[in-house]
Amino acid sequence: MMLPSYAYFKGKIVPYSDAKIGVMTHSLNYGTAVFGGVRGYWNEEEEELFIFRPLDHFTRFLNSAKLMVMDLGVTSEDMVNITLELVQKEGHRQDVYIRPLAYKADEIIGVRLHDLIDEFTVFSVPFDRYVSNDTGAHVTFSSWRRLDDNMIPARGKIAGAYVNTAFIKTDAVRAGFDEALVLNVDGHLSEGSAENIFMVRDGKLITPPVTDNILEGITRRSVIELAREELKLDVLERHIDRTEVYLCDEFFMTGTAAQVTAVTKVDNRPLGDGEMGPITASLRTLYNDVVRGKVKKYRHWNQPVYEKMMVK
Ligand code: PMP
């Protein structure tokens, strides 16, 4: 992966090679960091880079920080402006991934959240696809379980919790699958390794509620709105059993990185007719147009990078 040219680090934009931390840093030793994942989409016709729902992403980012007893001293609007300045300086003319990361910066020994220095950084890199087979992914039910809210809350994007994701992803990929589905400790489906999930049964779109140890995904929220508004679908948020997935008509995963990824097989069982279904296909096309700023009704989700410097 190409390295960034710049990073926002300790209050200003610096060359990426100057954005360094010491090996004793608390977050490196104890996983006490939180992060975000935001995408910018290049629109060739308009020669503009559109960042997708940055205020929503930075609001969630600051909420993750709050869970970890961090005070970053910035608002989500400040974070958008920092990001705009950084991405403008990079001058990207292609799709990008933007990573804000807040971390406990002290170089000390001792596990805790309080009385520590909070710092944050932002950087961006060119980015293409995350799940290589995004039109017909073959997934497995992971033998790992999703962390419970009383262990490490999944609604925060907490660095240490992503060890759970890493176990899940590595075992799935090494076993020859594209991705994995993860059950809660109570046996209900929560999400993918780093994606929210949706199934279609009897014409209804069904996804687990935010209380099922999921990340409150921005893509999930967007897809729910698009399904209700544009496809006029019923969208239910309720528990999903493992065996319902075997019987569903369509299944897909959503995420900033994964976008709308069609799942056509789980543990060697074809889902529906084993091909990407019509609802998945429609939502996939719609989402891809929306993120690139091609749908007027949803232009308020697209923050242009080069058109202007600051949001209000
Ligand atoms: N769940 C997990 C565990 C994730 O890491 C992600 C990726 N951020 C998602 C779901 C999808 O969230 P979003 O649509 O906000 O990217």
Side-chain angles (χ1 to χ4, degrees), residues 9-10 20-30 32 103-112 114-119:
F9 183 70
K10 295 199 170 160
K20 295 245 163 68
I21 58 162
V23 292
M24 251 181 92
T25 302
H26 198 274
S27 52
L28 181 63
N29 286 258
Y30 303 120
T32 47
Y103 56 99
K104 299 286 180 187
D106 305 65
E107 294 175 90
I108 54 149
I109 302 295
V111 188
R112 61 175 192 269
H114 64 285
D115 294 341
L116 293 168
I117 300 162
D118 306 317
E119 296 274 4

Side-chain angles (χ1 to χ4, degrees), residues 50 57 73 83 86 95 106 118 154 161 195 198 206 209 223 240 248 264:
F50 290 111
H57 274 284
T83 302
L86 176 81
D95 294 355
D106 305 65
D118 306 317
E195 304 86 7
F198 289 83
I206 307 168
V223 162
I240 295 179
C248 75
T264 51

Side-chain angles (χ1 to χ4, degrees), residues 152-252:
I152 305 179
R155 71 169 43 75
K157 265 181 96 69
I158 299 170
Y162 276 75
V163 174
N164 180 239
T165 299
F167 278 128
I168 291 159
K169 180 84 181 198
T170 287
D171 285 0
V173 170
R174 283 183 169 172
F177 297 96
D178 297 307
E179 254 296 340
L181 304 180
V182 195
L183 304 177
N184 281 322
V185 283
D186 75 357
H188 289 113
L189 184 53
S190 67
E191 52 184 352
S193 76
E195 304 86 7
N196 293 114
I197 58 100
F198 289 83
M199 72 171 181
V200 177
R201 279 195 84 186
D202 303 326
K204 291 190 178 64
L205 198 54
I206 307 168
T207 193
V210 294
T211 44
D212 266 356
N213 298 311
I214 66 167
L215 184 77
E216 298 175 2
I218 312 293
T219 320
R220 173 184 181 277
R221 198 180 306 165
S222 308
V223 162
I224 290 175
E225 192 169 331
L226 293 174
R228 284 186 176 140
E229 282 285 316
E230 307 307 317
L231 272 58
K232 309 291 176 206
L233 287 176
D234 279 346
V235 184
L236 307 182
E237 296 180 56
R238 65 151 174 85
H239 295 317
I240 295 179
D241 281 342
R242 174 183 188 143
T243 53
E244 281 188 287
V245 178
Y246 296 164
L247 303 178
C248 75
D249 304 312
E250 299 184 37
F251 195 94
F252 59 90

Side-chain angles (χ1 to χ4, degrees), residues 99-134:
R99 164 60 47 82
L101 173 76
Y103 56 99
K104 299 286 180 187
D106 305 65
E107 294 175 90
I108 54 149
I109 302 295
V111 188
R112 61 175 192 269
L113 294 177
H114 64 285
D115 294 341
L116 293 168
I117 300 162
D118 306 317
E119 296 274 4
F120 70 93
T121 178
V122 188
F123 53 85
S124 63
V125 283
F127 197 72
D128 192 13
R129 262 192 310 194
Y130 181 70
V131 180
S132 51
N133 183 3
D134 61 0

